[in-house]
Every structure is written in structure tokens, then in C-alpha cells.
Amino acid sequence: MRSALALRGSLVVLVATLAGMSVTHSTAVWLAPRLMAGSASALIFVIAASALLGPLVVTPLLRHGYHQALLLAAGVVLAAAAAAGLLRIGFPHRIGTAAPAPAAPDRRPAGPAETAAARSGRR
């Protein structure tokens, strides 16, 4: 019962603080509702995770059933990390961009000797 009340209260605080964050333009004033929203979000996550994982630990029939799920989740996380690493190595920053523009010729300002030669018509 207390978890349901805490969950509902955290959801209300989260929605209110997210709405309050959009009202201000000052970073200093924005930080207070952001901190409250982060805390409420963390509490919601903990309550939801405990509500889902609690029965798996307590119920004897399912006590050994979550090992396979944990292994599957670990495999998914490792595959995502490997894919992210391969994408980063293979495509560092070229995804979604056009071909690079051709390099501009080197045009440095002319020195005094070159300027005098250009005026006299010599090169």
C-alpha cells in the first residue's frame, strides 16, 4: 500500500516539476525543479523495479527462473555495446553527412617583393 502511494506521489511530483522547468529561463531557478524531477524519477524506477523483481525472489517456484532472463539481458547489453563500438570505429563522424568539399587553394597574402614584381609586370 505504501509503495502505491509513494509511486503516485512521485508521479505527481515528476509531472509538476517537469512543467515547472518549462516556465523559467534562469538556469539557477531551473536547477531546483530539475533536481526534484530527477529524484522523483529515481524513486519511480526503484519502486517499479522492486515491484517487478520482488515476486521473482520471494516465490519459490520462480526462484531459479530469473537466471536465464539475467543471462539474456547481459547478452543484449554486451551486443549493444559491441555494436556501438563497431559503429564508432567504422563510422566516426561520417554518418548522414555529404561528401567533403574540395580543399581550397592555398592563397597567402603577397609579400612586398611579390607585390613590386607584379606591378612591374615581372613574375
Side-chain angles (χ1 to χ4, degrees):
M1 180 64 182
R2 290 190 316 190
S3 292
L5 184 61
L7 179 64
R8 288 186 185 113
S10 296
L11 286 170
V12 169
V13 169
L14 179 62
V15 170
T17 53
L18 288 177
M21 286 168 44
S22 66
V23 174
T24 183
H25 295 287
S26 170
T27 305
V29 176
W30 178 83
L31 285 175
R34 178 65 189 112
L35 177 66
M36 291 174 59
S39 300
S41 177
L43 186 59
I44 291 168
F45 178 76
V46 168
I47 292 171
S50 68
L52 291 174
L53 295 177
L56 291 177
V57 175
V58 174
T59 307
L61 295 175
L62 298 176
R63 182 164 288 165
H64 300 292
Y66 65 92
H67 293 290
Q68 294 172 346
L70 290 177
L71 290 175
L72 178 65
V76 169
V77 168
L78 289 175
L86 288 174
L87 286 174
R88 180 68 183 151
I89 292 169
F91 308 103
H93 54 69
R94 295 191 179 110
I95 296 176
T97 59
D106 185 19
R107 296 185 187 217
R108 57 186 176 86
E114 296 171 32
T115 307
R119 279 190 218 141
S120 67
R122 292 181 291 150
R123 274 213 153 197

